[in-house]
Amino acid sequence: MSGPSTMRWYAYDVIAKRLASAEPRKDGKQTPYRGHPVFVAQHATATCCRTCLERWHQIPKGRELTRAERTYAVDVICRWIEREVADGARPGP
């Protein structure tokens, strides 16, 4: 199975494993710049580390992300990916 639901599940898994804890391992360096569309989207949307989440999304560091905050980050990531796909699918001038 592939498509938006698979991408969303993957994004949620990445957020849960790499950002959700109060003090993520290698915070600030845990998200690669390449390798998967979710990683690219995380950098484009400032959902790549706890510092960016705090600075750009007002989600404080030093505590575990709530379920609502995890869902918010996944929504931001998936919307960015959807826009990128839509922009790439448009015919040129």
Side-chain angles (χ1 to χ4, degrees), residues 52-67:
C52 287
L53 282 173
E54 185 173 63
R55 183 178 300 147
W56 296 101
H57 300 279
Q58 292 74 51
I59 297 174
K61 293 168 75 170
R63 62 163 177 77
E64 189 171 327
L65 294 179
T66 66
R67 178 176 285 179

Side-chain angles (χ1 to χ4, degrees), residues 3-19:
S5 62
T6 301
M7 189 73 64
R8 184 172 196 77
W9 179 87
Y10 186 78
Y12 195 89
D13 191 53
V14 166
I15 295 299
K17 289 179 179 173
R18 296 179 183 234
L19 290 179

